[in-house]
Amino acid sequence: MRKRKSCGVILEQKLQRSNLSVLQYADDTVISMDDSIEEAKNMKLIFTNFEQLSGLKINYHKSELYCFGNVKQAQDSYVGIFGCQVAETPFTYLGIPLHHKRISNKDWKVIEDRFEQRLST
């Protein structure tokens, strides 16, 4: 028990200093983090602790990993840590296209059309 508690304190301190962003809705989660193998290992440890404490299981086979820019060189290391498949951008989250670049007007037009269609009824 002492080991787990001290590990949690170390992780908490490291995460406070990291550039971590979480977008969550119901059971869908998008986690964005800087290129750091050490932080990725810490995140995997947090996921493992979550599974042990909650009794829930993260399905890494349904999860996807997106790497941008220079991170693509370390992509295999991240796949080894998380054990999920690599995917390409843009991808949609709750019907909205997400990309590491600016979203084009064409992409927003699809969303506008969908809203107009739903509001017209």
Side-chain angles (χ1 to χ4, degrees):
M1 185 66 155
R2 176 176 281 188
K3 184 178 181 183
R4 182 177 283 174
K5 185 174 182 179
S6 64
C7 181
V9 171
I10 292 169
L11 287 173
E12 181 180 333
Q13 291 171 351
K14 288 186 180 240
L15 286 175
Q16 287 175 356
R17 287 183 258 134
S18 70
N19 190 9
L20 181 73
S21 185
V22 178
L23 176 62
Q24 193 167 33
Y25 179 78
D27 64 345
D28 288 329
T29 304
V30 174
I31 298 173
S32 171
M33 58 190 297
D34 288 336
D35 177 19
S36 170
I37 296 296
E38 182 181 338
E39 285 187 30
K41 289 177 182 177
N42 287 336
M43 185 58 63
K44 178 65 179 226
L45 181 59
I46 290 171
F47 292 159
T48 303
N49 286 338
F50 168 79
E51 289 178 331
Q52 292 173 350
L53 293 171
S54 69
L56 299 172
K57 188 87 170 130
I58 298 172
N59 189 340
Y60 292 100
H61 297 290
K62 288 185 177 179
S63 301
E64 295 176 327
L65 177 68
Y66 297 89
C67 296
F68 309 107
N70 295 336
V71 181
K72 286 199 177 256
Q73 297 169 352
Q75 185 170 282
D76 291 339
S77 298
Y78 288 106
V79 169
I81 293 168
F82 293 108
C84 56
Q85 61 187 357
V86 176
E88 297 296 323
T89 59
F91 64 98
T92 58
Y93 182 72
L94 303 176
I96 297 176
L98 297 179
H99 200 280
H100 67 283
K101 297 178 184 174
R102 185 177 175 166
I103 297 174
S104 69
N105 288 336
K106 181 183 80 171
D107 293 327
W108 282 115
K109 181 70 174 141
V110 173
I111 296 168
E112 289 175 17
D113 292 345
R114 194 174 328 139
F115 271 105
E116 283 180 18
Q117 183 181 19
R118 289 184 181 179
L119 290 174
S120 67
T121 59

